[in-house]
Amino acid sequence: MKSETISYLPEADKGPWGIYLEQVERVTPYLGKLSYWVDTLKRPKRILIVDVPIHLDDGTVVHFEGYRVHHNTSRGPAKGGVRYHQDVTLSEVMALSAWMTIKNAAVGLPYGGGKGGIRVDPRRLSPSELERITRRYTSEIGILIGPKKDIPAPDVGTGPREMAWMMDTYSMNVGATTPGVVTGKPIAIGGSLGRADATGNGVFFASRSAAEKIGLDIEGSRVVVQGFGNVGNAAARAFYDHGAKIVAISDVTGAVINEAGIDPYDLADYVSKSETRGVLGYPKAEPLPAAELFQVPCEFLIPAALERQITEQNAWKVETKIVAEGANGPTTPAADDILAERGVIVVPDVIANAGGVTVSYFEWVQDFNSYFWTEEEINKNLERVMREAFEAVWQVSQDRKVSLRTAAYIVAASRVLEARAMRGLYP
Ligand code: GLU
């Protein structure tokens, strides 16, 4: 199938969406007959841009720009988080929605891919302002979301509290309590046990699977973590609990290093009490310039912050064996090549951080059944799904002699495009 390249963005934008397109280019030669449908992956199914006006606490009215993108729904409803961050752009939300399509298919979840976001710095809003922005945004995207259409979840800058407001707003608007419209909710309103730490635990499971392949022990290994939010924090705890040494951690406030090891529980306690709400000034470690974080020698490097962190500028300096992507899109394609050349294994985001959406899926199934599982059942099933997904992708990477990212894209794109081909074009 041939078509013109369409663009919703200026040609010059080589932003996150440009990176995603490059990843699709790289997988296309491996898709065989299914490459007939590959343009499907190169454009989102639908994009909604919404104006989100709210009253600030001082009575003034401010407008924010919000988005909800459905990248693909060939295999099931759109699924993916909502990001609140001052740098959110349409290019970013488009890429994040596409990465959800690939992630959900790579892991075998019966979902398409979607993502949303608001360009806002949530740290500058009061709790009541955050409630108003969340409710107004939910109403604005109400024409797209629904438990069988599109199921939002937390992402950077949002969490269970925002999901509770989203669930309530949607439920009030349709006149029926509808827990299955969002995942990552508090337990009291239909959330799932194990969801909060699922992404970080999944990063650990994926890292451990990769380590087994090269005979690397977790016990005594050194770990560097970029980002100490929901993902970085839980991943650090999982490594620490299994005997690894967390040697350096960074967040927006700075970076800290201690070659003897940092206790992530103690650090989390410090962060919750510190004035900056960050790792800066942690007394049991030394300060480190954030730009030097990736050069700290380690066995596992976990980028768990934002996109485009490991680039062609710094990939040469990375001193690790395994990069496990807790964030979405932290490594650029050029950096991927440099890391491959240097023998560094990259466990791609679409596998490494898939634990979050996997337990979101468990939550959604539980909500539909109104029957809830034990934490043990959740974690056991998460571990199984992560192991099976990693093994399948590893096998493809060995058979086709490609990186784990290209292998994951082969598995995922084939599933999406097979569904696409079977459904056909209508109307
Ligand atoms: N925001 C998470 C991600 O990027 C979770 C999405 C979800 O649970 O739907 O995978």
Side-chain angles (χ1 to χ4, degrees):
M1 188 173 61
K2 273 268 156 278
S3 67
E4 295 294 306
T5 302
I6 53 155
S7 180
Y8 305 96
L9 304 161
E11 261 306 291
D13 191 323
K14 267 274 178 188
W17 178 250
I19 290 175
Y20 163 73
L21 288 180
E22 214 169 317
Q23 292 165 341
V24 174
E25 287 303 330
R26 287 177 174 214
V27 73
T28 306
Y30 300 96
L31 296 178
K33 278 197 200 147
L34 288 172
S35 62
Y36 177 79
W37 294 100
V38 77
D39 279 6
T40 302
L41 296 174
K42 295 187 193 165
R43 58 198 67 211
K45 178 180 175 63
R46 51 174 79 95
I47 293 171
L48 182 64
I49 303 177
V50 294
D51 174 39
V52 188
I54 62 159
H55 279 117
L56 294 183
D57 292 343
D58 68 7
T60 56
V61 177
V62 285
H63 292 250
F64 297 91
E65 188 160 300
Y67 311 95
R68 186 76 189 166
V69 177
H70 289 179
H71 174 258
N72 186 276
T73 57
S74 293
R75 300 179 60 259
K79 179 89 190 84
V82 174
R83 176 170 296 195
Y84 289 179
H85 193 277
Q86 59 277 15
D87 298 330
V88 162
T89 61
L90 178 58
S91 167
E92 182 186 39
V93 180
M94 284 164 63
L96 290 166
S97 71
W99 286 325
M100 289 309 303
T101 300
I102 300 295
K103 188 186 309 187
N104 291 330
V107 183
L109 305 178
Y111 290 135
K115 202 84 174 197
I118 307 178
R119 185 156 54 250
V120 60
D121 182 352
R123 292 166 307 174
R124 298 176 69 148
L125 295 187
S126 69
S128 57
E129 290 166 343
L130 278 170
E131 178 169 355
R132 288 195 287 276
I133 199 171
T134 303
R135 288 187 183 279
R136 180 64 191 236
Y137 170 73
T138 307
S139 288
E140 293 295 341
I141 64 165
I143 52 174
L144 291 189
I145 64 173
K148 293 191 172 164
K149 288 162 65 181
D150 174 10
I151 307 104
D155 196 77
V156 174
T158 61
R161 178 182 61 173
E162 285 72 24
M163 294 308 112
W165 291 328
M166 290 190 79
M167 179 275 216
D168 181 68
T169 305
Y170 179 86
S171 296
M172 297 313 283
N173 285 343
V174 299
T177 294
T178 313
V181 68
V182 294
T183 58
K185 299 176 294 294
I187 307 292
I189 54 169
S192 177
L193 294 167
R195 175 63 183 85
D197 287 348
T199 313
N201 284 338
V203 169
F204 172 74
F205 294 142
S207 305
R208 188 177 58 186
S209 293
E212 278 165 18
K213 299 291 181 195
I214 58 168
L216 179 65
D217 274 343
I218 299 286
E219 178 117 34
S221 65
R222 296 165 299 173
V223 183
V224 170
V225 186
Q226 184 198 38
F228 200 56
N230 174 268
V231 181
N233 186 332
R237 280 186 273 117
F239 272 100
Y240 179 83
D241 291 344
H242 288 82
K245 217 161 48 171
I246 315 299
V247 290
I249 300 192
S250 74
D251 67 8
V252 280
T253 65
V256 292
I257 182 165
N258 184 346
E259 265 146 40
I262 295 167
D263 174 348
Y265 294 91
D266 190 61
L267 179 61
D269 188 52
Y270 168 81
V271 167
S272 71
K273 293 176 188 146
S274 84
E275 215 168 280
T276 60
R277 300 248 145 199
V279 303
L280 186 76
Y282 181 55
K284 297 178 193 165
E286 299 298 319
L288 174 79
E292 286 172 26
L293 185 83
F294 292 154
Q295 302 165 36
V296 176
C298 58
E299 279 71 46
F300 297 93
L301 175 60
I302 317 289
L306 296 170
E307 308 86 60
R308 288 187 286 174
Q309 300 300 303
I310 307 180
T311 64
E312 54 194 327
Q313 266 83 47
N314 61 15
W316 290 104
K317 302 181 197 155
V318 166
E319 282 297 333
T320 193
K321 294 211 158 55
I322 293 174
V323 172
E325 297 183 328
N328 291 310
T331 313
T332 64
D336 262 343
D337 292 343
I338 296 168
L339 293 173
E341 209 168 293
R342 301 185 58 218
V344 177
I345 294 177
V346 178
V347 187
D349 47 8
V350 293
I351 293 292
N353 72 33
V357 70
T358 299
V359 177
S360 275
Y361 167 60
F362 298 157
E363 177 174 335
W364 183 71
V365 169
Q366 291 171 87
D367 288 338
F368 269 106
N369 292 313
S370 301
Y371 177 80
F372 291 86
W373 312 352
T374 64
E375 189 155 6
E376 208 187 339
E377 284 171 298
I378 301 280
N379 290 335
K380 201 175 69 206
N381 280 294
L382 170 63
E383 199 169 343
R384 178 183 53 79
V385 169
M386 295 294 296
R387 191 179 331 104
E388 289 173 4
F390 181 88
E391 289 299 332
V393 166
W394 179 268
Q395 202 48 53
V396 171
S397 84
Q398 297 291 303
D399 295 347
R400 313 290 295 259
K401 303 200 179 356
V402 292
S403 68
L404 287 175
R405 190 182 317 278
T406 299
Y409 274 62
I410 293 174
V411 170
S414 301
R415 286 179 179 158
V416 175
L417 298 181
E418 195 186 348
R420 218 273 149 270
M422 283 176 172
R423 287 180 63 165
L425 294 178
Y426 175 85

